[in-house]
Coordinates of all heavy atoms in Angstrom, one line a residue:
C1587 N -5.5 -8.0 -17.3 CA -5.6 -9.3 -16.8 C -4.3 -10.1 -16.9 O -3.3 -9.4 -17.4 CB -6.7 -10.0 -17.5 SG -6.4 -10.3 -19.2
E1589 N -3.4 -12.0 -19.1 CA -3.0 -12.0 -20.5 C -2.6 -10.7 -21.1 O -2.3 -10.6 -22.3 CB -4.2 -12.6 -21.3 CG -4.4 -14.1 -21.0 CD -5.4 -14.8 -21.9 OE1 -5.7 -14.2 -23.0 OE2 -5.8 -15.9 -21.5
N1591 N -4.5 -7.8 -21.2 CA -5.6 -6.9 -21.8 C -6.3 -6.1 -20.8 O -6.7 -6.6 -19.7 CB -6.5 -7.8 -22.5 CG -6.0 -8.5 -23.7 OD1 -5.3 -7.9 -24.5 ND2 -6.1 -9.8 -23.8
H1593 N -9.3 -4.7 -19.0 CA -10.6 -5.0 -18.9 C -11.5 -4.0 -18.3 O -11.1 -3.1 -17.5 CB -10.8 -6.2 -17.9 CG -10.5 -7.5 -18.6 ND1 -11.4 -8.4 -19.1 CD2 -9.3 -8.2 -18.9 CE1 -10.9 -9.5 -19.6 NE2 -9.6 -9.3 -19.6
C1645 N -11.3 -10.8 -24.7 CA -10.1 -11.5 -24.2 C -10.5 -12.9 -23.9 O -11.7 -13.3 -23.7 CB -9.7 -10.9 -23.0 SG -8.2 -11.5 -22.2
T1646 N -9.5 -13.8 -23.9 CA -9.8 -15.3 -23.8 C -9.5 -15.8 -22.3 O -9.6 -16.9 -22.0 CB -9.0 -16.1 -24.7 OG1 -7.6 -15.8 -24.5 CG2 -9.4 -15.9 -26.1
C1647 N -9.3 -14.8 -21.4 CA -8.8 -15.2 -20.0 C -9.9 -15.7 -19.2 O -9.7 -16.2 -18.1 CB -8.1 -14.0 -19.3 SG -9.3 -12.7 -18.9
I1649 N -12.4 -13.7 -17.9 CA -13.1 -12.5 -17.2 C -14.1 -12.0 -18.3 O -13.8 -11.8 -19.4 CB -12.1 -11.5 -16.8 CG1 -11.1 -12.0 -15.7 CG2 -12.7 -10.2 -16.3 CD1 -9.9 -11.3 -15.4
T1653 N -12.8 -5.6 -23.5 CA -11.5 -5.0 -23.2 C -11.3 -3.8 -23.9 O -12.0 -3.4 -24.9 CB -10.3 -5.9 -23.6 OG1 -10.3 -6.2 -25.0 CG2 -10.5 -7.2 -22.8
Ligands
ZN1369 ZN1 -8.4 -10.9 -20.0

Side-chain angles (χ1 to χ4, degrees):
C1587 64
E1589 292 188 15
N1591 293 311
H1593 278 262
C1645 185
T1646 54
C1647 71
I1649 294 168
T1653 59

